[in-house]
């Protein structure tokens, strides 16, 4: 029964692929609408960020990561964490208000509501792909490319997207009925950022705090990306497996909430 419902959903989504792709394209174009350089800003912004981190932390502050001789080590560590978190935050932030922001579309057009998180993921992934392509080019040019372990980034990033989508879907549905949820979640994200080892290595903290931070699924995901990119090591698949189970459970819960409260959701909008 569940397989039949899933198959029907996939067939239904396939019919709306033009709407999904067109929405992603419009979202990308709207970011740079009325600007002289247009989409060039999608390249210039991350390029400037990479240059700033490299110059400030590697050349001026001479910041080094313990156990790494690479002079660009901390810059790579920082970029890996911030770019990864940026993808996670963009999906979550947009998902938390996706039904409210698109209430006019939901009332005027007939399309599966699950299209909205897919559009958000597609748009965020496109922006991330541009940023991360430049970062990869920097790794190659600076002689810091991690090697074959680089391919492990794909499943790690897919896990991040799954986790963010599932959680974002839950928050998005709840935010329609309880508007404080969106505001509270924005505040929570700020604390969540600093409770994830992005700007500092986990080893810099006392052991009792390290154990607490490891409960955070984003710690596992971000550290996996940093480990791959800074030292070329494979991630801890066992820990990622736990995060994967949690992500799938969140997706199942989010889809269940959306299916059960679809009619009520439209009434609230």
């Amino acid at each position: 029964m569940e397989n039949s419902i899933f198959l029907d959903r996939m067939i239904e989504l396939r019919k709306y692929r033009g709407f999904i792709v067109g929405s992603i394209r419009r979202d990308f174009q709207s970011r740079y609408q009325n600007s002289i350089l247009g989409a060039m800003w999608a390249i210039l912004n991350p390029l400037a960020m990479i240059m700033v981190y490299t110059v400030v932390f590697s050349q001026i502050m001479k910041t080094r990561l313990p156990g790494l001789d690479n002079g660009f080590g901390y810059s790579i560590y920082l970029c890996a964490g911030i770019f990864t978190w940026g993808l996670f935050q963009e999906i979550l932030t947009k998902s938390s208000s996706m039904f409210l922001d698109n209430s006019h579309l939901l009332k005027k057009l007939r399309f599966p509501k699950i299209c909205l998180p897919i559009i958000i993921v597609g748009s965020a992934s496109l922006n991330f792909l541009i940023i991360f392509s430049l970062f990869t080019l920097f790794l190659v040019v600076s002689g810091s490319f991690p090697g074959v372990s680089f391919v492990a980034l794909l499943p790690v990033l897919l896990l991040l997207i799954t986790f963010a989508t599932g959680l974002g879907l839950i928050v998005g549905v709840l935010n329609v009925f309880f508007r404080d949820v969106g505001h509270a979640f924005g505040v929570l994200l700020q604390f969540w950022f600093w409770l994830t080892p992005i700007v500092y290595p986990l080893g810099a903290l006392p052991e009792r705090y390290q154990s607490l931070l490891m409960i955070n699924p984003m710690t596992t995901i971000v550290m996996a990306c940093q480990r791959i990119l800074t030292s070329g090591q494979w991630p801890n698949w066992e820990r990622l497996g736990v995060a994967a189970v949690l992500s799938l459970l969140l997706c199942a819960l989010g889809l269940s909430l959306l299916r059960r409260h679809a009619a009520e959701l439209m009434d609230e909008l």
Side-chain angles (χ1 to χ4, degrees), residues 195-197 200 202 205 209-216 219:
L195 291 173
T196 305
Y200 57 87
L202 187 65
L205 300 177
Y209 295 124
Q210 292 182 35
S211 301
L212 287 174
L213 259 61
M214 288 307 300
I215 299 174
N216 172 10
T219 295

Side-chain angles (χ1 to χ4, degrees), residues 13 38-39 41 57 72 84 137 147 208-209 216 227 243 261:
L13 284 175
W41 286 113
F57 292 106
F72 296 109
T84 303
L137 180 61
R208 62 180 183 275
Y209 295 124
N216 172 10
R227 183 172 180 175
H261 301 285

Side-chain angles (χ1 to χ4, degrees), residues 51-140:
M51 290 178 62
V52 167
Y53 288 160
T54 301
V55 172
V56 172
F57 292 106
S58 298
Q59 305 302 320
I60 298 177
M61 296 180 65
K62 303 291 184 182
T63 308
R64 295 289 186 269
L65 278 178
L68 278 182
D69 295 330
N70 187 350
F72 296 109
Y74 184 71
S75 299
I76 295 171
Y77 179 90
L78 194 58
C79 286
I82 287 180
F83 292 156
T84 303
W85 178 267
L87 174 61
F88 174 70
Q89 184 177 29
E90 182 174 358
I91 294 174
L92 267 185
T93 302
K94 289 186 175 180
S95 296
S96 66
S97 60
M98 60 184 166
F99 298 115
L100 296 174
D101 292 342
N102 294 281
S103 59
H104 60 292
L105 283 178
L106 290 168
K107 291 177 181 178
K108 291 180 180 178
L109 301 177
R110 184 178 178 83
F111 62 92
K113 296 176 183 61
I114 195 63
C115 286
L116 294 180
I118 293 175
I119 291 168
I120 288 171
V121 168
S123 178
S125 298
L126 177 59
N127 295 325
F128 179 80
L129 182 61
I130 295 172
I131 294 171
F132 205 76
S133 296
L134 290 171
F135 183 51
T136 302
L137 180 61
F138 163 74
L139 294 176
V140 173

